[in-house]
């Protein structure tokens, strides 16, 4: 039995990973900024990547750190904090990191590009921190999760005319399939960068939003919006896609049918 620390274990992906890890019989600890009562085979520790609180103590007792914690723009800083904590702890856990397909392919300038689309560059920078750390690591890149597309669709669909970035495409994958792969990697040996995990189909953002609107019986019109900048052009060119790694099983339509049974 390995002692596995999951950062971001309370997030969308973490909530899919943690019960799977418990079912494999591992000793699972979740790091969160807020206190949680232990339960369902999981104990919780308080820690914060921004302040450094609790990190060294948390990683000291881990054989494996499944690193899912992240936000839009600070993934590099968090990766530095993780490496620093491991060095301070004086241990050598296997670090399993989740990243995103095309992380290094989205160029960023300043202003709008960086504020709105800085996520990919931030994930690429975090990967470089782990790669250069001298520690034992495995890095999985995945495409956008169906769950994330659904959150975006729900938010956009509140508007009377639904804006859709023109030319952008996505190859969404089931978060649960990403979770299953991460668990497989966490109980195995460090492998460096492993093959990407991408969803089974490529869609335009417009068609995915349209599918969502149809599923919830909304007749709201969509409106293509041109997003300026190099990062947006990279999305339009398919930087976030991996058609040669379309190994995910659940389609967007299947996910939507399960989450938003048709009301039309
Ligand atoms: N969503 C996608 O489509 C997608 C695709 C590819 C890769 N990914 C990657 O998958 C990972 C998880 O994504 P998600 O959508 O599940 O994220 P999420 O739901 O936003 O969850 C973020 C998690 O990070 C933790 N966290 C944030 N700031 C923290 C801090 N300062 N200190 C400690 N913990 C902190 C939060 O824990 P507490 O709130 O409990 O503190 C939470 O559990 C991210 O690394 C993301 O880049 C996502």
């Amino acid at each position: 039995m390995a002692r596995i620390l999951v950062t971001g274990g309370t997030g969308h992906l973490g909530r899919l990973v943690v019960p799977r890890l418990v079912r494999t019989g591992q000793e699972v600890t979740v790091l969160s900024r807020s206190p949680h009562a232990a339960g369902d085979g999981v104990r919780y520790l308080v820690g914060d990547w921004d302040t450094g609180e609790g990190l060294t103590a948390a990683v000291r007792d881990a054989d494996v750190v499944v690193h899912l914690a992240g936000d839009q723009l600070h993934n590099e800083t968090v990766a530095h904090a993780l490496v620093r904590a491991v060095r301070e702890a004086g241990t050598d856990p296997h670090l399993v990191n989740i990243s995103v397909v095309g992380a290094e392919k989205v160029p960023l300038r300043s202003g709008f590009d960086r504020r709105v689309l800085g996520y990919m560059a931030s994930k690429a920078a975090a990967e470089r921190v782990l790669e250069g750390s001298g520690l034992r690591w495995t890095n999985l890149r995945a495409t956008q999760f169906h769950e994330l597309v659904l959150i975006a669709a729900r938010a956009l669909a509140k508007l009377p005319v639904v804006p859709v970035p023109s030319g952008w495409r996505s190859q969404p994958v089931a978060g649960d399939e990403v979770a299953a792969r991460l668990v497989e990697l966490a109980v195995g040996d460090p492998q460096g960068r492993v093959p990407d995990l991408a969803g089974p189909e490529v869609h335009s953002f417009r068609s995915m939003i349209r599918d969502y609107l149809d599923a919830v019986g909304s007749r709201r019109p969509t409106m293509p919006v041109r997003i300026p900048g190099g990062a947006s052009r990279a999305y339009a060119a398919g930087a976030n896609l991996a058609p040669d790694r379309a190994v995910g099983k659940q389609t967007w339509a299947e996910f939507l049918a399960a989450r938003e049974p048709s009301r039309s």
Side-chain angles (χ1 to χ4, degrees):
M1 183 199 294
R3 300 166 303 168
I4 303 193
L5 177 72
V6 186
T7 80
T10 57
H12 288 105
L13 179 58
R15 287 195 297 269
L16 299 171
V17 167
V18 167
R20 279 182 173 275
L21 278 173
V22 171
R23 286 201 295 277
T24 66
Q26 313 304 319
E27 188 182 305
V28 181
T29 303
V30 165
L31 189 83
S32 170
R33 286 166 295 186
S34 4
H36 299 263
D40 297 327
V42 183
R43 73 173 184 134
Y44 291 82
L45 291 175
V46 172
D48 189 326
W49 297 107
D50 293 334
T51 62
E53 178 202 354
L55 304 185
T56 305
V59 299
R60 183 171 289 125
D61 291 331
D63 304 308
V64 180
V65 179
V66 178
H67 180 48
L68 313 176
D71 65 4
Q72 180 68 7
L73 295 176
H74 301 105
N75 297 292
E76 180 181 12
T77 318
V78 173
H80 276 301
L82 172 60
V83 169
R84 204 164 39 242
V86 170
R87 289 202 180 116
E88 280 171 14
T91 53
D92 190 21
H94 173 196
L95 308 179
V96 179
N97 184 55
I98 181 70
S99 190
V100 64
V101 163
E104 83 293 4
K105 290 191 194 155
V106 179
L108 284 176
R109 295 185 181 89
S110 53
F112 183 85
D113 248 19
R114 186 165 295 283
R115 283 197 314 277
V116 179
L117 297 170
Y119 169 70
M120 298 283 252
S122 162
K123 294 299 283 186
E127 287 183 344
R128 287 194 294 273
V129 172
L130 290 187
E131 286 164 15
S133 67
L135 299 173
R136 300 184 306 132
W137 56 273
T138 299
N139 185 47
L140 173 68
R141 288 181 171 190
T143 49
Q144 287 77 40
F145 307 155
H146 292 317
E147 291 82 349
L148 181 79
V149 181
L150 181 60
I151 289 170
R154 281 179 176 156
L156 291 170
K158 294 197 170 91
L159 300 168
V161 176
V162 182
V164 182
S166 73
W168 287 20
R169 289 170 292 156
S170 182
Q171 191 179 348
V173 65
D176 205 39
E177 292 175 24
V178 178
R181 178 71 176 129
L182 283 166
V183 168
E184 195 175 80
L185 295 169
V187 299
D189 293 330
Q191 296 187 50
R193 184 168 161 199
V194 295
D196 296 348
L197 175 44
E201 300 169 338
V202 174
H203 300 277
S204 68
F205 268 66
R206 183 176 181 281
S207 73
M208 287 190 298
I209 300 288
R210 204 54 275 165
D211 290 344
Y212 169 77
L213 294 172
D214 290 346
V216 298
S218 168
R219 295 177 182 280
R220 292 190 182 190
T222 58
M223 180 179 64
V225 176
R226 196 185 145 271
I227 312 277
S232 179
R233 279 197 296 281
Y235 272 87
N240 57 326
L241 309 177
D244 56 329
R245 288 293 306 157
V247 294
K249 298 275 184 286
Q250 189 186 41
T251 65
W252 169 240
E254 288 165 351
F255 171 81
L256 211 45
R259 288 299 183 91
E260 301 282 355
S262 183
R263 287 174 226 158
S264 54

